[in-house]
Amino acid sequence: MSNLDLSEQETIRRNSLQKLRELGINPYPANEFKINTSTKQILEQFDPETNNFQDITIAGRLMNQRIMGKASFAELQDESGKIQLYLNRDEICPGEDKSLYNDVFKKLLDIGDIIGVTGYVFITQMGETSVHVKTLTLLSKSLRPLPVVKEKEGTLFDAFTDPEQRYRQRYLDLIVNPQVREVFVKRTRIINNMREFFNQKGYLEVETPILQPIPGGAAARPFITHHNALNIPLYLRVANELYLKRLIVGGFEGVYEFSKDFRNEGMDRTHNPEFTVMEIYVAYKDYNWMMEMTEEMIERIALALHGTTEVTVGDKVIDFKRPFKRITMTDSIKEFTGIDILGMDEDALRAACKGIGVEVDETMGKGKIIDEIFGEKCEGHYIQPTFVLDYPVEMSPLCKKHRDNPDLTERFELMVNGKELCNAYSELNDPIDQLGRFQDQLKLSEKGDNEAMFIDMDFVRSLEYGMPPTSGMGIGIDRLAMLMTNSSSIQDVLLFPQMKPEKRAEEDSAEMFEALGIPSVWVEVLRKMNYKKIAQLKEIKASKLFNDLCGFNKKNQLGLPNPGMDEVTKWLN
């Protein structure tokens, strides 16, 4: 990387890196640095009366320096928090050689460098718990400057808050916004709590294929790839449902999986093309049993994370105390639209949609139309946890028909804060009925529905061997994490969300600059100075451009012979 590719700060840091090496200091040592405590432990447990923490070793990122002659203060940040360091020249440099303090600490270390220190804990005259440093070790030199976030009287200035930058550079977000880490700690606690809950009930965690020959288990558009050795198309899974049910056929009575699923669809604040779902299937149960287990699990998670069932989400307080409200889908649609969908055929549903202002198209079958009505007119009303149950059969190709009404299915979705959180069935285990439902989905695909399910004949074959009565449930981990951490966007609970490609500033070609008589070496310099287009050059005076070029050449030590004033004038004419 040439100096032209570097900012002034990056150049200074690389020069410091070279000087450190000249002093015999390895800026990236390989040996283990054994820490024995953390900033959080020190701040929570230090007792000046017992004078504990008198031989500590900690490591972290240098976040601040206040240099004051022979003694200085600094701030170190590790995973658990920040703590003040006190450094005295003669203590970290007990011999004649004072270069570790005078040169390394004062001149060659930068904000963002990772250091390790040994010493003891004390309280300063200002009452701040601090580490009195006895030894200082550089563990990793930072070559890029961190965003400078200032704090005064509890107010942050110049905070690193731009969402796109935060999501693209999550590593930087975690450094300068350490509170973000708590979101991901809570996300992990949610998953661990669920895993513990299922394991205590004796259910088995399993793994199923991500690459699948048939993308079954959900009505969604899949990602397609190609297996070269087998010369066949494969799909990234849209759901793991059909594989988990095969395991129930095989004799397991309770299985679950935290799975990465992929759907080649839209992206917004609640949808990412790659997402995490937990699916569980338990033999000899039905959807009524699964409703009770689901609300027990979610109530338990809320209590574990917050100590209460009441969770703040935006400007609302959502109470996850069970039992949750229950309402049928037909009653919900009737309540919010006045329409009774029971017994309506596709034409009648289309006419009803027209009357209430719900847009539908010719590719939609009866199930999709009902789903559109519910999504447009009903879903957003359910802020408190509500089970919406007994969906029309056309909406649920993998679900058992209702025991009391064959036009409905034994299915529920849990709605929270106006969105679906989980989906569950009394699972369809009649292989003849299942094949017929798959064939109905094929007809929808032929109509142009690109989210209709594929026919999985091997799954049908497995059902022909007999699957016990089973209930299954899938819950979106990302949406659950959003609720439990009061995050408004799915990107806030994904460490590395999918992003659109970074936009590059438009620029004229090098040939266009050279056509003005500008040597290629100076074209590169002009671009580094943010003159990307010829029109920009035409807007400035030749004298200013001449002075800027000469100044940039000198400041960045490029070593180029400066152009003459007459030469620069010709470029602009």
PDB file of all heavy atoms in Angstrom, residues 127 135 153 170 211 240 298 300 305 320 331-332 414 460 470 491 494 515 518 548 552:
ATOM      1  N   GLY A 127     -10.747   9.951  43.827  1.00  0.00           N
ATOM      2  CA  GLY A 127     -11.691   8.903  44.191  1.00  0.00           C
ATOM      3  C   GLY A 127     -11.967   7.889  43.103  1.00  0.00           C
ATOM      4  O   GLY A 127     -12.952   7.155  43.177  1.00  0.00           O
ATOM      5  N   THR A 135       4.389  -2.757  34.742  1.00  0.00           N
ATOM      6  CA  THR A 135       4.984  -3.124  33.445  1.00  0.00           C
ATOM      7  C   THR A 135       3.961  -2.884  32.348  1.00  0.00           C
ATOM      8  O   THR A 135       2.746  -3.005  32.559  1.00  0.00           O
ATOM      9  CB  THR A 135       5.436  -4.594  33.398  1.00  0.00           C
ATOM     10  OG1 THR A 135       4.285  -5.443  33.471  1.00  0.00           O
ATOM     11  CG2 THR A 135       6.394  -4.910  34.545  1.00  0.00           C
ATOM     12  N   GLU A 153     -20.033  15.184  30.859  1.00  0.00           N
ATOM     13  CA  GLU A 153     -21.168  15.203  31.792  1.00  0.00           C
ATOM     14  C   GLU A 153     -22.266  14.246  31.340  1.00  0.00           C
ATOM     15  O   GLU A 153     -23.456  14.552  31.349  1.00  0.00           O
ATOM     16  CB  GLU A 153     -21.727  16.630  31.941  1.00  0.00           C
ATOM     17  CG  GLU A 153     -20.708  17.607  32.535  1.00  0.00           C
ATOM     18  CD  GLU A 153     -21.247  19.026  32.611  1.00  0.00           C
ATOM     19  OE1 GLU A 153     -22.372  19.253  32.110  1.00  0.00           O
ATOM     20  OE2 GLU A 153     -20.559  19.879  33.165  1.00  0.00           O
ATOM     21  N   ARG A 170     -19.047  -3.900  12.003  1.00  0.00           N
ATOM     22  CA  ARG A 170     -19.521  -4.252  13.340  1.00  0.00           C
ATOM     23  C   ARG A 170     -18.368  -4.307  14.337  1.00  0.00           C
ATOM     24  O   ARG A 170     -18.538  -3.964  15.510  1.00  0.00           O
ATOM     25  CB  ARG A 170     -20.251  -5.599  13.290  1.00  0.00           C
ATOM     26  CG  ARG A 170     -20.816  -6.032  14.633  1.00  0.00           C
ATOM     27  CD  ARG A 170     -21.962  -5.128  15.077  1.00  0.00           C
ATOM     28  NE  ARG A 170     -23.213  -5.507  14.461  1.00  0.00           N
ATOM     29  CZ  ARG A 170     -24.338  -4.822  14.582  1.00  0.00           C
ATOM     30  NH1 ARG A 170     -24.356  -3.700  15.290  1.00  0.00           N
ATOM     31  NH2 ARG A 170     -25.453  -5.227  13.988  1.00  0.00           N
ATOM     32  N   LEU A 211     -27.637 -27.715   2.680  1.00  0.00           N
ATOM     33  CA  LEU A 211     -27.762 -27.918   1.229  1.00  0.00           C
ATOM     34  C   LEU A 211     -28.771 -29.033   0.995  1.00  0.00           C
ATOM     35  O   LEU A 211     -28.576 -30.169   1.451  1.00  0.00           O
ATOM     36  CB  LEU A 211     -26.407 -28.290   0.624  1.00  0.00           C
ATOM     37  CG  LEU A 211     -25.387 -27.166   0.479  1.00  0.00           C
ATOM     38  CD1 LEU A 211     -24.059 -27.729  -0.006  1.00  0.00           C
ATOM     39  CD2 LEU A 211     -25.882 -26.103  -0.495  1.00  0.00           C
ATOM     40  N   ASN A 240     -36.148 -26.424   8.062  1.00  0.00           N
ATOM     41  CA  ASN A 240     -35.641 -27.767   8.377  1.00  0.00           C
ATOM     42  C   ASN A 240     -36.756 -28.726   8.781  1.00  0.00           C
ATOM     43  O   ASN A 240     -36.503 -29.841   9.221  1.00  0.00           O
ATOM     44  CB  ASN A 240     -34.584 -27.693   9.483  1.00  0.00           C
ATOM     45  CG  ASN A 240     -35.088 -26.977  10.729  1.00  0.00           C
ATOM     46  OD1 ASN A 240     -36.137 -26.359  10.729  1.00  0.00           O
ATOM     47  ND2 ASN A 240     -34.322 -27.058  11.795  1.00  0.00           N
ATOM     48  N   ILE A 298     -41.424 -18.805  26.610  1.00  0.00           N
ATOM     49  CA  ILE A 298     -41.188 -17.375  26.387  1.00  0.00           C
ATOM     50  C   ILE A 298     -41.273 -16.606  27.703  1.00  0.00           C
ATOM     51  O   ILE A 298     -40.489 -15.676  27.942  1.00  0.00           O
ATOM     52  CB  ILE A 298     -42.156 -16.832  25.324  1.00  0.00           C
ATOM     53  CG1 ILE A 298     -41.849 -17.490  23.967  1.00  0.00           C
ATOM     54  CG2 ILE A 298     -42.051 -15.315  25.218  1.00  0.00           C
ATOM     55  CD1 ILE A 298     -42.808 -17.109  22.868  1.00  0.00           C
ATOM     56  N   ARG A 300     -40.450 -17.765  30.570  1.00  0.00           N
ATOM     57  CA  ARG A 300     -39.188 -18.111  31.241  1.00  0.00           C
ATOM     58  C   ARG A 300     -38.029 -17.266  30.721  1.00  0.00           C
ATOM     59  O   ARG A 300     -37.194 -16.786  31.482  1.00  0.00           O
ATOM     60  CB  ARG A 300     -38.920 -19.606  31.037  1.00  0.00           C
ATOM     61  CG  ARG A 300     -37.540 -20.099  31.449  1.00  0.00           C
ATOM     62  CD  ARG A 300     -37.358 -21.533  30.979  1.00  0.00           C
ATOM     63  NE  ARG A 300     -35.945 -21.912  30.988  1.00  0.00           N
ATOM     64  CZ  ARG A 300     -35.458 -22.896  31.714  1.00  0.00           C
ATOM     65  NH1 ARG A 300     -36.235 -23.596  32.510  1.00  0.00           N
ATOM     66  NH2 ARG A 300     -34.162 -23.195  31.637  1.00  0.00           N
ATOM     67  N   LEU A 305     -33.992 -12.850  31.444  1.00  0.00           N
ATOM     68  CA  LEU A 305     -33.277 -11.682  30.931  1.00  0.00           C
ATOM     69  C   LEU A 305     -33.586 -10.409  31.709  1.00  0.00           C
ATOM     70  O   LEU A 305     -32.715  -9.551  31.858  1.00  0.00           O
ATOM     71  CB  LEU A 305     -33.616 -11.461  29.456  1.00  0.00           C
ATOM     72  CG  LEU A 305     -32.616 -12.034  28.440  1.00  0.00           C
ATOM     73  CD1 LEU A 305     -32.560 -13.544  28.535  1.00  0.00           C
ATOM     74  CD2 LEU A 305     -32.967 -11.610  27.022  1.00  0.00           C
ATOM     75  N   PHE A 320     -45.267 -10.719  28.976  1.00  0.00           N
ATOM     76  CA  PHE A 320     -45.182 -12.108  28.532  1.00  0.00           C
ATOM     77  C   PHE A 320     -45.651 -13.092  29.608  1.00  0.00           C
ATOM     78  O   PHE A 320     -45.313 -14.276  29.553  1.00  0.00           O
ATOM     79  CB  PHE A 320     -43.746 -12.428  28.111  1.00  0.00           C
ATOM     80  CG  PHE A 320     -43.333 -11.753  26.832  1.00  0.00           C
ATOM     81  CD1 PHE A 320     -42.578 -10.579  26.857  1.00  0.00           C
ATOM     82  CD2 PHE A 320     -43.709 -12.266  25.613  1.00  0.00           C
ATOM     83  CE1 PHE A 320     -42.194  -9.957  25.687  1.00  0.00           C
ATOM     84  CE2 PHE A 320     -43.336 -11.651  24.430  1.00  0.00           C
ATOM     85  CZ  PHE A 320     -42.579 -10.488  24.458  1.00  0.00           C
ATOM     86  N   ASP A 331     -62.286 -15.445  13.358  1.00  0.00           N
ATOM     87  CA  ASP A 331     -62.836 -14.420  14.256  1.00  0.00           C
ATOM     88  C   ASP A 331     -62.030 -13.126  14.187  1.00  0.00           C
ATOM     89  O   ASP A 331     -62.584 -12.023  14.285  1.00  0.00           O
ATOM     90  CB  ASP A 331     -62.853 -14.938  15.698  1.00  0.00           C
ATOM     91  CG  ASP A 331     -63.969 -15.943  15.939  1.00  0.00           C
ATOM     92  OD1 ASP A 331     -64.872 -16.046  15.079  1.00  0.00           O
ATOM     93  OD2 ASP A 331     -63.929 -16.639  16.974  1.00  0.00           O
ATOM     94  N   SER A 332     -60.705 -13.249  14.014  1.00  0.00           N
ATOM     95  CA  SER A 332     -59.866 -12.056  13.912  1.00  0.00           C
ATOM     96  C   SER A 332     -60.216 -11.246  12.670  1.00  0.00           C
ATOM     97  O   SER A 332     -60.402 -10.024  12.731  1.00  0.00           O
ATOM     98  CB  SER A 332     -58.388 -12.463  13.875  1.00  0.00           C
ATOM     99  OG  SER A 332     -57.565 -11.341  13.665  1.00  0.00           O
ATOM    100  N   LEU A 414     -48.060 -17.161  16.901  1.00  0.00           N
ATOM    101  CA  LEU A 414     -48.002 -16.234  18.022  1.00  0.00           C
ATOM    102  C   LEU A 414     -47.655 -14.855  17.484  1.00  0.00           C
ATOM    103  O   LEU A 414     -46.607 -14.672  16.859  1.00  0.00           O
ATOM    104  CB  LEU A 414     -46.963 -16.685  19.047  1.00  0.00           C
ATOM    105  CG  LEU A 414     -46.747 -15.738  20.236  1.00  0.00           C
ATOM    106  CD1 LEU A 414     -48.035 -15.533  21.025  1.00  0.00           C
ATOM    107  CD2 LEU A 414     -45.633 -16.251  21.138  1.00  0.00           C
ATOM    108  N   VAL A 460     -42.937 -37.818   1.624  1.00  0.00           N
ATOM    109  CA  VAL A 460     -44.195 -38.570   1.558  1.00  0.00           C
ATOM    110  C   VAL A 460     -43.930 -40.046   1.831  1.00  0.00           C
ATOM    111  O   VAL A 460     -44.679 -40.710   2.572  1.00  0.00           O
ATOM    112  CB  VAL A 460     -44.876 -38.378   0.190  1.00  0.00           C
ATOM    113  CG1 VAL A 460     -46.116 -39.257   0.067  1.00  0.00           C
ATOM    114  CG2 VAL A 460     -45.240 -36.914  -0.028  1.00  0.00           C
ATOM    115  N   THR A 470     -48.015 -35.768  16.115  1.00  0.00           N
ATOM    116  CA  THR A 470     -46.864 -34.920  16.459  1.00  0.00           C
ATOM    117  C   THR A 470     -47.271 -33.464  16.407  1.00  0.00           C
ATOM    118  O   THR A 470     -48.070 -33.061  15.559  1.00  0.00           O
ATOM    119  CB  THR A 470     -45.693 -35.164  15.471  1.00  0.00           C
ATOM    120  OG1 THR A 470     -45.282 -36.524  15.561  1.00  0.00           O
ATOM    121  CG2 THR A 470     -44.515 -34.251  15.758  1.00  0.00           C
ATOM    122  N   GLN A 491     -31.253  -5.835  11.870  1.00  0.00           N
ATOM    123  CA  GLN A 491     -29.803  -5.645  11.742  1.00  0.00           C
ATOM    124  C   GLN A 491     -29.133  -5.399  13.088  1.00  0.00           C
ATOM    125  O   GLN A 491     -27.944  -5.671  13.262  1.00  0.00           O
ATOM    126  CB  GLN A 491     -29.493  -4.465  10.799  1.00  0.00           C
ATOM    127  CG  GLN A 491     -29.707  -4.776   9.332  1.00  0.00           C
ATOM    128  CD  GLN A 491     -31.095  -4.412   8.861  1.00  0.00           C
ATOM    129  OE1 GLN A 491     -31.995  -4.216   9.680  1.00  0.00           O
ATOM    130  NE2 GLN A 491     -31.282  -4.324   7.563  1.00  0.00           N
ATOM    131  N   LEU A 494     -28.239  -8.899  14.555  1.00  0.00           N
ATOM    132  CA  LEU A 494     -27.362  -9.757  13.755  1.00  0.00           C
ATOM    133  C   LEU A 494     -25.973  -9.143  13.777  1.00  0.00           C
ATOM    134  O   LEU A 494     -25.813  -7.963  13.446  1.00  0.00           O
ATOM    135  CB  LEU A 494     -27.859  -9.849  12.314  1.00  0.00           C
ATOM    136  CG  LEU A 494     -29.262 -10.428  12.110  1.00  0.00           C
ATOM    137  CD1 LEU A 494     -29.656 -10.325  10.639  1.00  0.00           C
ATOM    138  CD2 LEU A 494     -29.321 -11.871  12.575  1.00  0.00           C
ATOM    139  N   ALA A 515      -5.984  13.087 -20.892  1.00  0.00           N
ATOM    140  CA  ALA A 515      -6.262  13.818 -22.135  1.00  0.00           C
ATOM    141  C   ALA A 515      -6.101  15.322 -21.960  1.00  0.00           C
ATOM    142  O   ALA A 515      -5.914  16.062 -22.932  1.00  0.00           O
ATOM    143  CB  ALA A 515      -7.680  13.490 -22.620  1.00  0.00           C
ATOM    144  N   ILE A 518      -2.465  15.889 -18.042  1.00  0.00           N
ATOM    145  CA  ILE A 518      -2.035  15.603 -16.670  1.00  0.00           C
ATOM    146  C   ILE A 518      -1.291  14.272 -16.657  1.00  0.00           C
ATOM    147  O   ILE A 518      -1.839  13.246 -17.070  1.00  0.00           O
ATOM    148  CB  ILE A 518      -3.248  15.529 -15.714  1.00  0.00           C
ATOM    149  CG1 ILE A 518      -4.061  16.836 -15.783  1.00  0.00           C
ATOM    150  CG2 ILE A 518      -2.810  15.251 -14.285  1.00  0.00           C
ATOM    151  CD1 ILE A 518      -5.355  16.795 -14.999  1.00  0.00           C
ATOM    152  N   ASP A 548      -2.106  23.422  -3.592  1.00  0.00           N
ATOM    153  CA  ASP A 548      -2.607  22.206  -2.947  1.00  0.00           C
ATOM    154  C   ASP A 548      -1.769  20.988  -3.336  1.00  0.00           C
ATOM    155  O   ASP A 548      -1.455  20.140  -2.492  1.00  0.00           O
ATOM    156  CB  ASP A 548      -4.063  21.961  -3.326  1.00  0.00           C
ATOM    157  CG  ASP A 548      -5.011  22.958  -2.650  1.00  0.00           C
ATOM    158  OD1 ASP A 548      -4.555  23.689  -1.741  1.00  0.00           O
ATOM    159  OD2 ASP A 548      -6.197  23.006  -3.033  1.00  0.00           O
ATOM    160  N   PHE A 552       0.387  18.837  -0.708  1.00  0.00           N
ATOM    161  CA  PHE A 552       0.080  17.422  -0.522  1.00  0.00           C
ATOM    162  C   PHE A 552       1.316  16.559  -0.755  1.00  0.00           C
ATOM    163  O   PHE A 552       1.560  15.590  -0.019  1.00  0.00           O
ATOM    164  CB  PHE A 552      -1.041  17.021  -1.492  1.00  0.00           C
ATOM    165  CG  PHE A 552      -1.621  15.664  -1.248  1.00  0.00           C
ATOM    166  CD1 PHE A 552      -2.671  15.501  -0.361  1.00  0.00           C
ATOM    167  CD2 PHE A 552      -1.127  14.546  -1.896  1.00  0.00           C
ATOM    168  CE1 PHE A 552      -3.226  14.248  -0.122  1.00  0.00           C
ATOM    169  CE2 PHE A 552      -1.653  13.285  -1.663  1.00  0.00           C
ATOM    170  CZ  PHE A 552      -2.712  13.139  -0.775  1.00  0.00           C
TER     171      PHE A 552
END
